[in-house]
Amino acid sequence: MVVEVNGIDLHYDVVGEGEPLLWLHGGMGHGADWQHVFKEQPPGYRLIAPDLRGHGRSTGESAVYSFRQSALDVLALLDQRQIERVKVIGLSGGGITALHMATIQPARVAALVAISAPAAFPEQAKAIQRSFSEAMLSEAERARMRERHPRPGQLDALIAQTRALADGDDPNFTREQLGSITADTLIVFGDRDFLYPVSIAFDLHAAIPGSYLWVVPNGGHGPVFGDAAPRFVDTTLPFLRGDWRRAP
């Protein structure tokens, strides 16, 4: 499916029936990445998985990337589908987008799972971003990237965006902004993330009222794929159902 929002064509997939659940992929990913975590659509949910601005089938790639603009795109998508309130799983850049959604329109986000999503980029991440290039990817990963982002020049634009993130001002959440989040929030970080030290997770947990923190032992960046996927699913679905709130 495709909608026109904020001057771009935003493509998205919808699978399953039930309560709306957004999946927001990470940088240089695409909406279908949810399939690498869930073997099938989460039961009881209508999963909505957009290709975020400039990624996959969606247009709008430019010299710089704004996570806040991406959040406005997704909120516009919800408006067009007449969805007033939604639960969100956001991975890395998608998690930053989800944090923007939850601070721009707190009442729209009922529950939030933010995976490897910092309030601001630390220096160790900025150093990697500044030097990022296609040559850093394996041959297999380059092939996957070009399959995901097939338009001429699209992958080059996304790589340039990644380099520009280091000297941008997004994300740059204040403690006051994070304190405005009203969603039930689960913060997920790996303790071996090469981009973000685990201390960032504790800072987010302290800033977001009533949030929960899950530090994945020996987990890297985005510790939800491969062998980690079943545990993520088994942990996250009860949280999204509200079971944790009902626990004594």
Side-chain angles (χ1 to χ4, degrees), residues 17-236:
E17 297 290 338
E19 188 177 4
L21 173 64
L22 272 173
W23 165 268
L24 302 180
H25 64 78
M28 302 186 71
H30 65 162
D33 288 345
W34 71 268
Q35 297 174 76
H36 299 298
V37 178
F38 297 94
K39 291 182 179 179
E40 55 188 23
Q41 69 266 19
Y45 290 103
R46 175 170 30 118
L47 184 68
I48 304 168
D51 293 348
L52 298 177
R53 174 177 287 251
H55 291 73
R57 301 157 295 172
S58 293
T59 62
E61 60 267 26
S62 61
V64 296
Y65 189 78
S66 166
F67 298 102
R68 190 178 193 280
Q69 180 60 65
S70 181
L72 294 174
D73 295 339
V74 177
L75 288 168
L77 167 63
L78 296 181
D79 289 341
Q80 293 211 23
R81 291 194 62 92
Q82 299 182 320
I83 297 173
E84 290 298 321
R85 194 160 163 83
V86 71
K87 296 177 179 179
V88 188
I89 300 175
L91 169 67
S92 191
I96 298 171
T97 295
L99 289 172
H100 274 297
M101 291 177 63
T103 55
I104 294 169
Q105 294 188 19
R108 299 289 295 272
V109 181
L112 166 61
V113 180
I115 308 159
S116 303
F121 291 130
E123 287 304 319
Q124 68 190 60
K126 290 180 178 181
I128 294 171
Q129 289 166 343
R130 289 189 182 103
S131 63
F132 187 68
S133 70
E134 189 174 349
M136 296 172 67
L137 304 173
S138 68
E139 187 67 34
E141 186 64 18
R142 284 198 295 270
R144 283 194 294 271
M145 288 292 179
R146 294 200 175 278
E147 183 179 352
R148 288 173 173 176
H149 315 296
R151 292 192 302 275
Q154 185 180 14
L155 180 57
D156 293 336
L158 292 175
I159 290 172
Q161 286 177 2
T162 300
R163 290 198 296 267
L165 289 175
D167 299 305
D169 61 355
D170 186 3
N172 191 20
F173 292 101
T174 66
R175 191 177 183 92
E176 181 180 12
Q177 287 173 321
L178 294 171
S180 72
I181 295 175
T182 59
D184 291 340
T185 302
L186 173 60
I187 300 158
V188 183
F189 264 74
D191 65 355
R192 296 291 185 269
D193 191 327
F194 72 99
L195 285 174
Y196 311 133
V198 73
S199 59
I200 288 177
F202 288 90
D203 292 340
L204 280 171
H205 176 47
I208 299 175
S211 60
Y212 300 87
L213 174 60
W214 177 19
V215 177
V216 180
N218 205 33
H221 183 68
V224 299
F225 296 111
D227 293 342
R231 187 177 181 191
F232 175 78
V233 173
D234 290 344
T235 302
T236 301

